[in-house]
Amino acid sequence: MNVSTLSWIDGDSQNGFCRMVEQTLLPAEFIEIDVKTVPDMVDAIWRLAVRGAPAIGVAAGYGMLLGVQAEAGRDRDDLMAHIQGTSETLAKARPTAVNLFWALDRMVRRAKVDFEAGADSAGLVAGLFEEAKAIHTEDAAQCRRMGELGAELIQDGMALLTHCNAGALATGGMGTALAPMYVAHEQGKKIAVFADETRPLLQGARLTTWELMQAGIDVTLITDNMAARVMMEGKIDAVIVGSDRIARNGDVCNKIGTYGVAVLAKYHNIPFYVVAPRSTIDTAVVTGADIPIEERPAEEITEGYGKRTAPAEAKVYAPAFDVTPAELVTAIVTEAGIIESPTTEKVLEMMGRPKLGS
Ligand code: MRU
């Protein structure tokens, strides 16, 4: 049983709220926080209390609901304008993970469909509740399917390297990159995982190592600059990572440091797999060069998690993501199938496949 990183508490659309694991405190403390307003949801996403592309998408759906749940008394035209405004507020939380914008668009589209069908304000709120829950449930099912497909790439006895955290903490289900590991483990395959620490916010050390240990999977923590050495020693059979946005040509944006790992994997002839739902593929983006890269505060590098490690006035450059060119990607595992050696044609073909469960 994987950790559930966020959920909607209290059942109904009018009085519920979002409960989430406060990921910034892991692994020292496991506490959950209750998010009840849109500004608090924006803050939770920006602070990385909830993080990881699919989980941000699920949080955005619930954030929309928080924005409208007390508004069913408004007239329906006014409510539609408010729904649009709430979406624009939530969209400012973080720039790179496309799942945020994908989920917000989906929520606004749902409201428009219900509005055109004549729904009153209470009906609009009820529709958004249904849609937010559907985003969450579908994400969990997609994680499981990606896990099953990805597990076919994992042989008994393999050692895998991952970067950042793309597990249950990062999704509404069992994870993206970690899902094949969980399924392989369930299938009785013996696997070993090397987790990159993932400077500067240590998602690999704090979250992936914790999560895999909870699941009883053999995990070894390394610092980011050890990956080359570990590969040279022949200890890695495959790299598996998640993604925050995939361009339509197959370029993969993920946590800063992923590109370096991909280059190393190529040099050492190690397959480099990306596991991500199709909600992470942004067909409006032609290549990775067009993906907005978040920059984080300098303090996350100069004094992150503890004492100061650089002069107070040090000039800092802090991109939080990088882009791995498609040519370095062995395959992208989605819930609808595996894209080997991704190209624009193959990505668009995968996007055209039916929705899971339909
Ligand atoms: O800054 P974060 O922690 O939100 O970055 C997360 C990642 O880069 C993950 O690898 C990515 O979102 C895939 S999550 C399933």
Side-chain angles (χ1 to χ4, degrees), residues 169-187:
L169 286 167
T171 66
M174 69 193 321
T176 57
L178 299 196
M181 302 176 193
Y182 288 130
V183 173
H185 183 68
E186 273 171 27
Q187 292 169 341

Side-chain angles (χ1 to χ4, degrees), residues 158-164 177-178 181 192-198 208 212 220-224 226-231 235-242 257-258 260-262 264-265 270-273:
M158 268 193 170
L160 309 160
L161 182 135
T162 191
H163 190 77
C164 195
L178 299 196
M181 302 176 193
V193 180
F194 284 83
D196 275 352
E197 178 185 43
T198 317
T208 298
L212 291 175
T220 302
L221 174 64
I222 57 172
T223 62
D224 299 350
M226 293 173 188
R229 177 70 198 168
V230 173
M231 286 186 189
K235 290 192 163 80
I236 306 295
D237 297 302
V239 174
I240 311 185
V241 297
T258 303
V261 174
L264 289 172
I270 295 168
F272 181 89
Y273 298 120

Side-chain angles (χ1 to χ4, degrees), residues 23 45 48 50-56 94 97 99 143 162-171 175-178 198 201 203 206-207 241-245 253-256 258 275-277 280 294 296 320-321:
Q23 293 194 37
I45 295 172
L48 275 52
V50 59
R51 39 129 325 263
I56 293 172
R94 289 187 80 186
N99 304 62
C143 288
T162 191
H163 190 77
C164 195
N165 171 265
L169 286 167
T171 66
T176 57
L178 299 196
T198 317
L201 293 181
Q203 289 93 331
R206 295 187 304 105
L207 309 177
V241 297
S243 173
D244 288 84
R245 196 184 296 220
C253 180
N254 192 45
K255 178 53 54 194
I256 191 75
T258 303
V275 183
T280 298
E294 175 179 18
R296 301 284 304 178
F321 297 93

